[in-house]
Amino acid sequence: MPSKAENLRPSEPAPQPPEGRTLQGQLPGAPPAQRAGSPPDAPGSESPALACSTPATPSGEDPPARAAPIAPRPPARPRLERALSLDDKGWRRRRFRGSQEDLEARNGTSPSRGSVQSEGPGAPAHSCSPPCLSTSLQEIPKSRGVLSSERGSPSSGGNPLSGVASSSPNLPHRDAAVAGSSPRLPSLLPPRPPPALSLDIASDSLRTANKVDSDLADYKLRAQPLLVRAHSSLGPGRPRSPLACDDCSLRSAKSSFSLLAPIRSKDVRSSYLEGSLLASGALLGADELARYFPDRNVALFVATWNMQGQKELPPSLDEFLLPAEADYAQDLYVIGVQEGCSDRREWETRLQETLGPHYVLLSSAAHGVLYMSLFIRRDLIWFCSEVECSTVTTRIVSQIKTKGALGISFTFFGTSFLFITSHFTSGDGKVAERLLDYTRTVQALVLPRNVPDTNPYRSSAADVTTRFDEVFWFGDFNFRLSGGRTVVDALLCQGLVVDVPALLQHDQLIREMRKGSIFKGFQEPDIHFLPSYKFDIGKDTYDSTSKQRTPSYTDRVLYRSRHKGDICPVSYSSCPGIKTSDHRPVYGLFRVKVRPGRDNIPLAAGKFDRELYLLGIKRRISKEIQRQQALQSQNSSTICSVS
């Protein structure tokens, strides 16, 4: 099989076809090529086509009288890129005849070097005409689906190079060769822009790059609703969050994981500054924060409950952890317990079982019967610092029951959090003792330890609450409603709607906060629920024993922020349906602004209580199986009774 060099070599003479035959590449009806004895072109002239199939015979040699028939073999598969580049060079060497050359051609003199003869009908072909180039290009086999414009179309088999010939602006138009007539001057000029189909093939690489950019932009646009965090409804008197989404599928995807766009290789190679402490590629930086929280607001659940040491837990904690007024689950759950149940592990397992597989236990601590548990969305554990805790004992009642405080702190992105749960001294008239408990707590809690303070210039060594950006203090503060049981009962029994503001006028905590003697700088959301203490266990009636304790708002949730407006309360209520204790659980829903941070803090490295996680999931599965079996047996019993 001849090589590419043999196919493209113009100096070798080719045998002439016999009478009545035409060579491949020569159009039927066209004048024959110049034979021996004819005046050759000017010395040093070059053929305008490199792929001519009928080169001229050198002067001085007699052609053979009769040539044997030629059975041409298909040429080797040359690289399509090389064929195009050779044709490109040949086309660039073409020159059109000038005025002087045209005049000499009319007078019968030989044209100048490099000129092209007039190509009207019947004119002799002194050199290969453009149709010869187009026909020879058609013989080049089709590339294996790389640059073909008609890939997959039914008409692609008729012309192997139709896509290439039409997509290159330097190739002569192929319509003249297909029609079988000599092209005129417009056919030799650079062709007009090809149709859109050919342009798609000519700019295949460019289209591919643009398509990648378009797909990535579309991917991010579709992923944005999943990144947008729709929080719970704001309750009466507040507008619904503009970020809320009603699509259940998006809500489910948002709860599990945020759909994130892929990372480009060029972004990884772009700069060694990426990933520095303050750069956009930092783990705790602004870009990463925007991917998870476009509005930079975290949904937070804070709850307190005095369990009265009861071993029996409620059959369901849905009302407590997943209140009806919250459309969506929160990002972080912080639960503080006073006088907790004897089996602390069982309590944490119940919390994990209720929250489900989308949440993990980031940290938990205990001080006597004071418990605190922190559950976080499992895709957010990478942005948390090490969790530190500290305890304070204000009064030892016994070896088990302890009055005091338990504090847990950590940094999320660039915002530091402090959570304190306390159990102050009980008694209607022991306000001074409770104030002393508060003072001991703010002075004795040693936090933070290893995690750096985000703003040390606004911190005070005498008050732990000044060393953090966001502080939540909750627990059984034991502040009562003054005035006695008779006055409070009269306010509670006035009508169907209880006058809560009238009750709060007797609240000891509000009075002391107005004086500035306790919880300096703290705020409390508006109270719209009934007193959470003291109930008869299992009933909705207040204390009916001989002690006749006054109903009071002993269980509270307070907050403080370094930056005004960073904490927005969404809901503040109690759980009247949980009646296993003489206290009702009290919870608050908040939206907290989070700022980007630096990567130089000690991170938690994604640690969580995996054993508890698996145990809680197994509990959920077992209960679901039992529920389905009970439902199935109930349906079968109904069928039997009807039949």
Side-chain angles (χ1 to χ4, degrees):
M1 182 178 293
S3 64
K4 287 186 288 187
E6 293 174 353
N7 290 335
L8 299 176
R9 189 180 301 151
S11 61
E12 294 185 6
Q16 301 296 326
E19 298 277 340
R21 293 176 178 263
T22 59
L23 284 179
Q24 185 177 2
Q26 184 174 351
L27 296 175
Q34 184 177 357
R35 295 184 178 274
S38 300
D41 291 342
S45 64
E46 298 178 6
S47 174
L50 295 177
C52 180
S53 60
T54 57
T57 306
S59 61
E61 296 184 7
D62 295 331
R66 188 180 183 82
I70 300 176
R73 298 179 181 178
R77 290 180 177 269
R79 289 190 178 181
L80 191 57
E81 293 81 5
R82 178 169 175 78
L84 290 176
S85 62
L86 289 177
D87 182 72
D88 180 46
K89 295 178 182 178
W91 177 252
R92 290 181 184 277
R93 283 197 293 267
R94 295 178 184 271
R95 292 181 61 253
F96 294 109
R97 186 165 40 197
S99 301
Q100 184 65 25
E101 295 171 345
D102 193 299
L103 182 61
E104 291 176 357
R106 292 182 181 180
N107 294 335
T109 57
S110 177
S112 302
R113 174 180 179 270
S115 63
V116 180
Q117 295 291 340
S118 173
E119 311 225 4
H126 292 279
S127 61
C128 291
S129 61
C132 181
L133 175 63
S134 298
T135 310
S136 64
L137 279 176
Q138 293 177 10
E139 298 173 4
I140 300 177
K142 185 178 182 180
S143 177
R144 296 184 180 181
V146 177
L147 292 176
S148 175
S149 67
E150 301 170 14
R151 183 168 50 227
S153 62
S155 61
S156 60
N159 190 357
L161 272 180
S162 59
V164 178
S166 62
S167 61
S168 175
N170 294 326
L171 293 178
H173 206 275
R174 58 185 174 90
D175 295 339
V178 176
S181 60
S182 299
R184 300 186 181 276
L185 185 59
S187 300
L188 298 175
L189 293 175
R192 292 181 180 180
L197 180 61
S198 300
L199 280 178
D200 291 341
I201 305 307
S203 58
D204 186 67
S205 300
L206 181 60
R207 283 194 321 105
T208 303
N210 292 338
K211 188 174 184 302
V212 171
D213 295 339
S214 177
D215 291 347
L216 183 60
D218 183 63
Y219 184 88
K220 291 182 177 181
L221 185 61
R222 288 185 292 105
Q224 189 66 19
L226 301 182
L227 294 176
V228 172
R229 316 249 341 357
H231 301 292
S232 57
S233 61
L234 302 181
R238 294 180 180 271
R240 182 182 175 90
S241 172
L243 302 175
C245 179
D246 293 329
D247 193 344
C248 296
S249 60
L250 295 184
R251 202 165 29 181
S252 175
K254 172 254 175 190
S255 301
S256 57
F257 281 112
S258 297
L259 187 60
L260 303 180
I263 302 174
R264 296 186 179 185
S265 299
K266 68 176 185 179
D267 295 335
V268 178
R269 298 191 298 261
S270 60
S271 172
Y272 284 101
L273 292 179
E274 295 290 340
S276 62
L277 298 181
L278 295 176
S280 59
L283 176 63
L284 307 180
D287 287 354
E288 199 73 13
L289 177 60
R291 293 173 71 188
Y292 285 86
F293 303 98
D295 56 351
R296 292 193 175 185
N297 284 326
V298 175
L300 179 61
F301 175 94
V302 180
T304 177
W305 186 24
N306 188 320
M307 301 177 68
Q308 201 188 10
Q310 297 292 331
K311 296 181 180 180
E312 180 185 358
L313 295 176
S316 175
L317 295 177
D318 289 351
E319 181 186 357
F320 182 33
L321 300 177
L322 305 171
E325 66 268 21
D327 295 335
Y328 302 98
Q330 311 303 301
D331 300 311
L332 181 64
Y333 284 82
V334 184
I335 302 100
V337 170
Q338 307 83 40
E339 299 184 20
C341 61
S342 57
D343 192 349
R344 173 186 163 204
R345 191 64 174 178
E346 176 63 21
W347 165 244
E348 294 174 349
T349 303
R350 291 291 306 276
L351 294 175
Q352 178 71 75
E353 176 188 348
T354 305
L355 293 177
H358 302 308
Y359 296 87
V360 294
L361 181 63
L362 177 64
S363 178
S364 65
H367 179 55
V369 289
L370 287 174
Y371 304 156
M372 189 187 298
S373 305
L374 273 70
F375 286 86
I376 192 171
R377 247 175 55 198
R378 65 183 185 186
D379 56 328
L380 302 178
I381 58 177
W382 308 103
F383 312 109
C384 301
S385 71
E386 291 182 354
V387 182
E388 301 174 321
C389 66
S390 179
T391 61
V392 175
T393 300
T394 57
R395 186 171 64 91
I396 299 178
V397 180
S398 65
Q399 294 182 353
I400 300 177
K401 292 188 176 182
T402 304
K403 293 291 193 296
L406 169 63
I408 291 182
S409 66
F410 71 101
T411 298
F412 185 68
F413 280 98
T415 301
S416 58
F417 287 85
L418 172 63
F419 299 97
I420 305 175
T421 183
S422 297
H423 193 186
F424 290 167
T425 303
S426 61
D428 289 354
K430 296 184 178 180
V431 176
E433 285 82 351
R434 288 190 277 272
L435 298 179
L436 183 59
D437 292 343
Y438 164 81
T439 304
R440 289 177 179 175
T441 301
V442 297
Q443 294 178 352
L445 282 179
V446 184
L447 291 171
R449 292 191 179 96
N450 300 323
V451 180
D453 190 351
T454 56
N455 193 348
Y457 301 102
R458 302 180 62 179
S459 301
S460 172
D463 190 349
V464 66
T465 62
T466 63
R467 301 196 284 269
F468 294 89
D469 296 323
E470 320 296 342
V471 181
F472 291 86
W473 199 328
F474 47 98
D476 182 2
F477 298 148
N478 265 318
F479 285 96
R480 310 301 174 90
L481 293 178
S482 59
R485 177 69 182 264
T486 305
V487 175
V488 174
D489 282 346
L491 294 174
L492 291 173
C493 300
Q494 282 183 349
L496 297 177
V497 180
V498 178
D499 190 0
V500 175
L503 288 173
L504 294 177
Q505 293 179 0
H506 301 275
D507 186 68
Q508 296 175 351
L509 178 59
I510 293 178
R511 186 183 304 121
E512 296 300 326
M513 288 180 66
R514 289 174 179 172
K515 294 179 181 178
S517 55
I518 192 174
F519 292 119
K520 299 177 182 178
F522 280 84
Q523 303 178 56
E524 184 180 20
D526 296 337
I527 297 177
H528 300 285
F529 54 91
L530 297 178
S532 59
Y533 173 85
K534 170 181 173 91
F535 287 90
D536 293 332
I537 295 178
K539 300 180 181 179
D540 290 328
T541 58
Y542 290 100
D543 186 17
S544 60
T545 64
S546 58
K547 293 185 178 180
Q548 290 289 305
R549 293 185 178 88
T550 304
S552 302
Y553 293 96
T554 57
D555 308 282
R556 314 287 274 267
V557 178
L558 308 178
Y559 64 92
R560 171 180 176 173
S561 177
R562 274 178 174 170
H563 307 278
K564 185 178 181 180
D566 275 6
I567 300 177
C568 175
V570 176
S571 178
Y572 190 39
S573 184
S574 64
C575 299
I578 298 180
K579 307 173 183 179
T580 57
S581 171
D582 57 350
H583 290 255
R584 296 290 186 261
V586 174
Y587 65 87
L589 302 180
F590 302 89
R591 295 182 65 185
V592 185
K593 186 174 183 180
V594 179
R595 292 175 172 79
R598 299 168 62 94
D599 283 358
N600 60 345
I601 64 174
L603 296 176
K607 295 179 181 179
F608 66 97
D609 195 332
R610 179 173 177 80
E611 181 182 355
L612 181 72
Y613 177 81
L614 296 177
L615 183 58
I617 302 307
K618 291 179 181 178
R619 290 274 190 93
R620 287 176 68 98
I621 296 175
S622 300
K623 286 191 175 182
E624 180 63 22
I625 294 176
Q626 294 175 3
R627 187 189 67 83
Q628 292 180 0
Q629 291 177 351
L631 183 61
Q632 184 177 2
S633 62
Q634 181 181 1
N635 293 336
S636 61
S637 301
T638 304
I639 294 174
C640 294
S641 61
V642 171
S643 61

